[in-house]
Amino acid sequence: MKKYNLLFISTITLLILSAIMQPTLITATSAVNADSVSTTQVSLIDTGKNDSYSRLAIITQNNALNEIWVEGSIPAEFTFTTKQNATIGSPSTVTDTRAYPYAVGYAGGPSMSSLTDPWNNVDWLHIDNIEDIPDDEASFNISVSKNVLGTISPGSSGMFQIDNPDIQMLELYLSVNKPGNYILYFDEDAISTISPILSYLVDPQGNAIGGFGGSLPTVAPSGEVARDYFIFTTEETGEFIFHFAGAKNQISFDFQMISPMNKIKFGDQYSYKDAEVTEVGPDVIQGAISEEFVQVYNLDVSAGQYLHHNFDLLWGSSGSPTIFLATPTPYGYSYNTIDTTGDDDYTFIPFDGTAYLIVINQNYYEWNAAGPIRNLLYYVTTFDEVTEFEDYSLGEQKVIKISPSPGRTFIKIEVNKSEMIHFSAEDVDGTPLFGILNGNPDLTFLYNDPKEGTKYVPALATANSHSVYMFHPGTYYAHIDHPGNSLNSVFLELTSQEFTISSSVDHTEKTVADPDQIISDLSNVEFNALDFDIESGAEMQPVIFPLSFSDFVFDLEYNITLQRLDNSNIAGKSLRFELLTGIIQKSQFNNLSITSLNPIADYGTITLSALSDNINSITGTALMDGNPFLMGDLEAYLFMWPYDVELYNGSEYLPYDESDLTFKVGTSDRSGVIQQQTFKGAELVDTQLNDIDYTTLNYNLQGELDTTNYDKVLIFINETGMYDWWQFAFNYENAFLIGDALIYDNIWLDNSGPNTINTDIKYIGSSNHSYECGIVPSTYWILIEATPLVGDVITYNINIARYNITAFHTPIIEYDNKQTIGQFFANLPSWATYAGIGGGVLIIGVVVITVIKKKKAI
């Protein structure tokens, strides 16, 4: 999952945490007690210019959430920006030094994924003076804090008094000594200081884990809620960190373990029915966990198991109860909603462990004109294990029966090697429900990812009831449902065939002199008809052609031609077909998936009339926007799939019934038109260049672009150190249309991409220009393109400046000798003030930024 900067996102109004949700912007303006562990220094020279400022890259550890505090000797403005230098939120301005230390926001936050994106765990802080700086130095302490209350164990509670109301993002350690379900209540004093929608939990291994929160009924009509709560499930033991936002001085907690009512055995029925009671109100659940509020059942589960469950909610109030089946994952638990209508429901179990059925009757009472009244709860539930699977082998054609009871047939597929497979599904009798057949090809085949849990195999391309997939060794599952409209069984025919991997096709290198050159070197490729048809036309077997490039590839194109002379079966007749094409490449992330570099193109219906000899030059590009990409040494393929092939017999189009169809296929690229060079030795600067005079600037990179041989320049920037701030100034001579971009190699990709490189187009226009930005990797490329005014030669002058800013990595801190609840964790530095009993803040890092004789222009 992508990790969002928690400084500036909007408040979320729902919390069902199978993924973690993030807090909203909170700012503070007062002192904090702290302890510093590291210091560094950055100096700036006097430029006498506007916007002479300092930068800081704050790199936060995964799943940490830190409050950023500043202290300075002069007033200043503090701004967080994107890497593109766009302001995030509103700047924080300190006009009086007596306001220091000052909290400017937060950095970091939770991520449910095991992957860490280096682009997303950095916050760029910009510090600018707002008045003239005295002749002596001006400096700033930048501190990263953890606001820790203490440790609480199950069965205990406590009230906290925080005398500094500006400490707003807090942490509470929860000591867990056995696996199970836990509930943390907030605010017994009826002061609503914590919102469960601004909360998340980190387990002892440092993983952000799921949970869910809500509120109990109110203590009076339209009054304060009795308490808020946060429930989580764990198989881990140790200390968990509960992150939350609190806005008041008094905060109370009550931490309890929820004991299971029963251990579920497959085939047994379990029921719960509230007893009629006369006493209702918030005092019912102020002490121990009440069954009227929450019930928990546990059951042992195994990886690869399918659970069949039935939950029939007979009594329940509007909006209540909330029901989850919590299943184990490597990073906490996944909370799955289940059907409560009494219909059959199923859950796939990806990991061994204990699952929990959790029923939360949060609205167990409500208010009416006469006072509080009970909302009674009554349900019955059963659980079974699916034990019957229809075994299916790739390459098989098989008719599968789906009976009205139980109404679902499960398919199990064992795969021993990596294969590209073409699947077809057809209803033989009745209307069975199957992903490929009913418009959900991406949710058809699931498998167990050993790191992430349940995953679905994405379809590379789909046409009618046919889809193409990449399978790797492992076990896969699918299911077919009965439509439920009759008592008769229905039948589905499932057919699959492995792709044909053709030999490499002819390739053409285009030149600047002939950019529109038609690809003339084409290879004959035979497409075989499949053994199964559909009513709209014959299906041809998709074909992939291997591509091999070890460096940058620019304008990779393909050309497809159909010639009547190559196909004697269609002599004198009209032929029409649909066509899907594209370039696909194995993922650079894990080599386990195929990713389309450009969306698979659908050319629609293509017709070869009886009067035509050829269909010429069906062309396409491999990448959107024509940007270059780094192919590297990984496998890549040209994908081509003709389908719905029909031949005109003189009166109507009928499915093409011959065995094969031959196309001519070729590829081309224009990589040779890129002039490549390497640059090292960027100027190290203390501040940005302003009011640039492009005629006198001392450029550190110059060159010529001869457009008779090249039309682009690709410059490899080879520096050291990640997380830096850069400024670029471009001057062109004899150019009227110019453009430049930054290209970053594949330093990151998540489950969905990017899978090649990131191209960041910075400028398209006709004038000299400059820009600045934050760049995470130490190496990258500059791509420039220009059109000459006269002649063929363009001169380019580039100044590349590197700020060499401080990259402030917030350290991972091991907390030793933690005290009981209500005690501080750390000593205070000389500049911190006392925050009051019950509040503790640990500064885990400090950086000192020094400004030397910097003036703000008037």
Side-chain angles (χ1 to χ4, degrees), residues 395-397 420-426 461 463-468 493-500 526-534 537-543 639-645 655-661:
E396 184 179 12
Q397 185 173 4
M420 279 189 173
I421 300 295
H422 177 208
F423 264 98
S424 172
E426 184 176 359
N464 302 317
S465 57
H466 299 243
S467 293
V468 173
E493 184 179 77
L494 187 61
T495 308
S496 61
Q497 290 189 6
E498 186 175 0
F499 265 39
T500 300
E526 184 177 284
F527 288 79
N528 297 316
L530 297 172
D531 294 334
F532 46 92
D533 300 336
I534 59 175
E539 299 297 313
M540 311 306 291
Q541 174 71 303
V543 174
F639 171 85
M640 183 175 167
W641 184 11
Y643 67 97
D644 284 1
V645 185
Y656 180 71
D657 58 2
E658 301 297 335
S659 61
D660 57 59
L661 196 64

